[in-house]
Amino acid sequence: MAPAAAQKKERSKPTTAVHLIAGGGAGMCEALACHPLDTIKVRMQLSRKSKAPGAPKKSFFSVGRDIVKKESPLGLYKGLGAVVTGIIPKMAIRFSSFEFYKTLAPVNPETGKIASKAVFISGLAAGATEAVAVVTPMEVVKIRLQAQHHSMTDPLDVPKYRNAAHAAYTVVREEGFGALYRGVSLTALRQATNQGVNFTAYSEMKQVAARLQPQYEDLPSYQHMLLGLVSGAMGPLSNAPIDTIKTRLQKTPAKAGETAMQRITAISADMFKHEGFHAFYKGITPRIMRVAPGQAVTFMVYEKIRAWMELSPLFGNGQNQQNADY
């Protein structure tokens, strides 16, 4: 490998268009590659403990096998339309808002970097921003579609929600526009902790890898992928109960006169009483298997597209750009 000095090329500071296109492309690849794992996770989180004595516990693989057997392989992609519709603005908001929040933090004059604490806070704010702007309504629609146990091979088995657009329309018509934002507080908390941990871990590991390999101007794509895989697994481990409660909250219509906090409390108490503490971690295996590879794909594709766009005169703004903090 040639030394960095020989490979160095003129780069431009990333613009909003760079974040939009690179983030959207990364999110699209993530959704197509990992959505089946998310469907399995949702089904596991919505399942209730069997009352039949001696009934075997459903594993990640058995749930996936049952979906394919009863609903065809396409059943694993239920709700994909909602995800694809929201993935470009979601990723654009995530990366662009993260960059914006970082500009509010003081820069160390010696290193030219911001502190890890500031990266974490910027990630928290970016996660909360994307949750309110895009993720919550997208996930309400996605979960309604994924929760339908209908056969996609039987034309007589007509589902309540035909597609993402129809699901959104039906939810708004029957339950009001506010139903699309059911669970927004839990979603914001989950996304904030996810992105706070994710961006901080990725940033720290990337800087260490860059120091250990000065021969590279940019880390190889496979290293971006591995770093994203590790950082992506940390969020689900820290907030699994939040995600499980949120999924159950968004799956069903609200009762008249019941506040969001009352529903959250009731769902939590019911889960603990009838299913035990482990119920809060239902779906943790497919969630890690979904989020970790998803972040691996996201960071690898994002870094690749962004690097290409920074070298292109079509997207640059004429300013040099050093290696990013993430």
Side-chain angles (χ1 to χ4, degrees), residues 30-49:
E30 176 202 0
L32 293 174
C34 303
H35 189 76
L37 299 173
D38 189 67
T39 300
I40 297 172
K41 179 211 74 170
V42 167
R43 290 292 180 88
M44 291 182 74
Q45 289 178 329
L46 294 176
S47 68
R48 294 190 174 271
K49 191 174 182 180

Side-chain angles (χ1 to χ4, degrees), residues 52-133:
K57 182 181 178 181
K58 290 258 184 177
S59 68
F60 162 69
F61 295 104
S62 63
V63 171
R65 183 185 64 238
D66 288 347
I67 293 174
V68 171
K69 182 179 179 180
K70 297 176 183 178
E71 306 172 45
S72 85
L74 291 177
L76 294 172
Y77 284 90
K78 285 179 177 177
L80 180 62
V83 175
V84 170
T85 300
I87 203 71
I88 293 179
K90 170 187 172 181
M91 290 300 180
I93 290 171
R94 173 182 298 178
F95 285 102
S96 60
S97 64
F98 175 66
E99 283 296 317
F100 168 75
Y101 293 128
K102 283 202 305 177
T103 63
L104 304 180
V107 176
N108 186 321
E110 296 181 0
T111 64
K113 304 284 186 180
I114 64 174
S116 296
K117 179 173 65 175
V119 174
F120 179 71
I121 294 174
S122 298
L124 286 177
T129 301
E130 72 175 38
V132 174

